[in-house]
Structures are given as structure tokens and as C-alpha cells.
Amino acid sequence: EKGGYDYFMLKEIAEQPKAVADTLLGRIDAEGSLTLDEVRIPASVLREADKVVIVACGTAFHAGMIAKYAIEHWTRIPCEVELASEFRYRDPILDQRTLVIAISQSGETMDTLMALRHAREQGARVLAICNTNGSTIPRESDAVLYTHAGPEVAVASTKAFLTQLVACYLVALYLGQVRGTKWGDEIRAVVRDLAKISGEVDRVLETMEPVRALARSLADKNTVLFLGRHVGYPVALEGALKLKELAYMHAEGFAAGELKHGPIALIEEDLPVVVVVPSPRGRSVLHDKIVSNIQEIRARGARTIVIAEEGDETVVPYADHLIRIPVTPTLLQPMVATVPLQVFACELATARGNEVDQPRNLAKSVTVE
Ligand code: M6R
């Protein structure tokens, strides 16, 4: 049942191109418009929404963080994203014009379920993004957009995450389409890029051998740090979460701009630091700032592991290890940047002799609060 792989996690990482393609299937028409009629929330409700609130836990929360960038950019609707476990305990402001998006692979996460119940009690509409047909979260929501990742068995979420991102992009683009924003042309272009992204994920998977070798060489380290900016920041958090749960290593993700506000004090000789570099096109200011961050940490002895777009030569002099990812639109970069981090964590867990599919102390779905 592991399809020839040693672990479900490896199988599920390899299934990502298909999972991504399946999640897009039937949702983009021949003209490049989105057809999300299955999201039975009337267009009028989507037009009138004045706020989007995303609730989720763990890896699904990281997908939500990335969704916030996409939703605010393409729709100009204010969007908050909050850990489901914190949400209902702080008396959040919600009403009929709030669209709540609950993201959950299993559909059974108690924290997320309690958050959405609270939201509905306040009159908000809830859209679930979920991978498990007929599970509790979609049943209790006003609408659901299913991710078509297929069953995810390994405790560490991989293909579910990539398909959650696809679903979030679809919702963001659909909201933009329904409401009509000045980004119409950009939205059409991104829909075309989204249709190609499964092939890009496949290309990344073909180049993972050096990442595995690098992971094995770091098996006796205690700490790995991850830095990113913009949508690369949630990617850094996701890389760190994967490493914690699988390799049982101290791993932390930071927004690179925060380095000088504290975390740079952690940098010491030979400390591995993974840096997710934004595209030099588009938000090039951020790119240049992160290249300076790489120089700063390297000057203090860090071993820099740089994830950068193909063709970005500026990073080469400062990268002790360079992991290349395909050129993608800025907001879609997490789709390709996360994959090496999954492979990295899986390989490190294996090298450290850990149980990859069933990490200690964890359950696949967390049905208690
Ligand atoms: O089933 P859910 O998506 O609601 O689960 C949420 C988290 O428990 C889950 O993503 C967890 O963080 C994973 N083990 C991460 O790999």
C-alpha cells in the first residue's frame, strides 16, 4: 500500500503533482475563468463580504497565512488569519458580512471545529477547505471546497498542504473574479500559471537528491533556523514545523526582517540556516533585503542553505548550499519552495532513526481541544 516507498510520507510527497492537478480539475474553464459553483455561497454574499477570517491549526494554518497575502492582494478585502485554538477565546468581531474560511485536512480537528461553531453563532458564513469527504468540519460549514489530495496517512502533512494552497488561491481568485478588481488581467495570468504549477512541482521533485544528501550531513545538529519574507515567511514556519515533528530537532522559522530585532543573536559558527529567497522579479526590494540578511548571517558564521529561483545569480556567492526552484509568480512560490523542506525533514528524520510516518507524541487528527 506504500506503493514501493519506504514510508507513506515519501509516497505522499511524490503524489503532490497529481494531488495539485486533481484539485484544479474542473475548476478552471477553457477561457481561464474559475468555475466554483460547487461553493454554494451565493455570489451576492461573496460580493458583500467586508472581511475574511481564516482559522486553522498547524500546517493548515501556514496555508492560511499564505492565503491572506493572496486574498488581500487580489481582492482588497481585509483578511485575518488566526490559530483556531486562540480564536474563540478572544471574543473576535464577526457578523453576517464576515466570510470565515476553516482549513483542515482531516475535517475533524477539534480546535478548528470549535472556532467555526463560534463563527456561525455570531452569524458569519463559513467556507471549509477540507480533504476528507463528509467529515465534521464540512458538514457543519455553509459551504465546502474539497482538496483532492486523496487519503493522507503520514502524520506530517505534505500533499494536503499543497492542495490547501491551491484551494486558497482558487478562493482568492474567485473572490476577485466575482467582485471584479483592478487585478483582472493579473488574475487571468495567475490562473494560467496555476494550471502549470503541477508540472513545476514535478520538476522540483526530480532535483531532490542533493537536498537528501545535505539533510544526511546535518543529522547530528541540534538546531536549524528558517528565514523567509512575504509568502516565504509561512514557508519558513512550515519548514521548521516539519523538522520539529519529524526530526525532533529544535527548529524555528522567522520573518527575515525580524532578524535584527533579536534572532540574529542566535547565529553561531556552523549553525544551519535555511533561507527562502523571494523572486528577484516582482517584489525585488524584498529580494535585495533578504540577500543582505544572508550576507549578515554568513558573516557571523552561519551555514547558509539558500532556496532561490533558477537564474537568480545574486545569491550564489553567499550560499553554502543552493537549492534551485522554478520561476513562479510571487504568490505561487510556496508551492515549489515548500517541497524541498518536506524532503529535507523526511530525510533528516530517517537519518536520525526516527519513525517517519508516526512521529512520537503525535496523532494524525487531533480530535481533542
Ligand atoms: O487535519 P488538520 O488539517 O485540521 O490538522 C491540522 C494540524 O493538526 C496538522 O496540520 C499538523 O500540524 C500536521 N501534523 C503537520 O504536519
Side-chain angles (χ1 to χ4, degrees), residues 256-304:
E258 276 292 294
L259 258 187
K260 56 187 175 300
H261 300 291
I264 199 162
L266 290 169
I267 306 296
E268 56 187 21
E269 201 55 37
D270 215 31
L271 177 77
V273 184
V274 179
V275 188
V276 184
V277 179
S279 167
R281 303 158 301 109
R283 286 171 189 66
S284 54
V285 187
L286 288 187
H287 172 271
D288 298 351
K289 285 184 192 289
I290 239 181
V291 174
S292 312
N293 292 143
I294 301 173
Q295 288 174 259
E296 282 157 13
I297 59 172
R298 199 156 182 268
R300 288 164 178 78
R303 172 144 31 139
T304 56

Side-chain angles (χ1 to χ4, degrees), residues 92-277:
I93 301 166
L94 302 159
D95 60 31
Q96 292 79 348
R97 296 184 67 184
T98 312
L99 176 65
V100 171
I101 303 178
I103 309 175
S104 174
Q105 187 286 131
S106 62
E108 301 296 346
T109 299
M110 188 55 76
D111 289 313
T112 310
L113 179 61
M114 297 312 270
L116 85 83
R117 281 187 184 156
H118 182 77
R120 290 193 82 195
E121 278 161 19
Q122 314 297 307
R125 306 277 180 140
V126 178
L127 166 66
I129 291 178
C130 185
N131 195 46
T132 312
N133 275 357
S135 55
T136 311
I137 287 172
R139 269 195 282 118
E140 293 208 14
S141 298
D142 296 286
V144 54
L145 183 63
Y146 280 109
T147 49
H148 295 156
E152 192 180 63
V153 177
V155 165
S157 189
T158 54
K159 62 176 180 170
F161 177 69
L162 255 62
T163 60
Q164 283 160 357
L165 288 180
V166 170
C168 289
Y169 294 132
L170 287 172
V171 169
L173 294 164
Y174 187 62
L175 276 169
Q177 181 178 295
V178 168
R179 295 164 68 104
T181 69
K182 63 172 179 165
W183 301 114
D185 289 343
E186 182 177 322
I187 288 177
R188 276 183 291 279
V190 173
V191 169
R192 281 194 297 276
D193 289 320
L194 204 50
K196 288 186 290 198
I197 204 85
S198 146
E200 305 293 5
V201 174
D202 206 21
R203 280 214 298 135
V204 176
L205 286 170
E206 280 165 17
T207 59
M208 287 296 96
E209 204 36 59
V211 174
R212 288 192 195 97
L214 170 65
R216 289 192 292 273
S217 75
L218 299 175
D220 58 355
K221 293 283 178 193
N222 297 317
T223 299
V224 181
L225 302 183
F226 295 77
L227 299 177
R229 258 192 112 131
H230 192 258
V231 288
Y233 168 43
V235 172
L237 295 178
E238 175 62 7
L241 178 63
K242 284 284 156 300
L243 209 57
K244 284 175 208 164
E245 72 178 326
L246 292 162
Y248 317 148
M249 289 166 87
H250 171 226
E252 271 192 85
F254 299 110
E258 276 292 294
L259 258 187
K260 56 187 175 300
H261 300 291
I264 199 162
L266 290 169
I267 306 296
E268 56 187 21
E269 201 55 37
D270 215 31
L271 177 77
V273 184
V274 179
V275 188
V276 184
V277 179

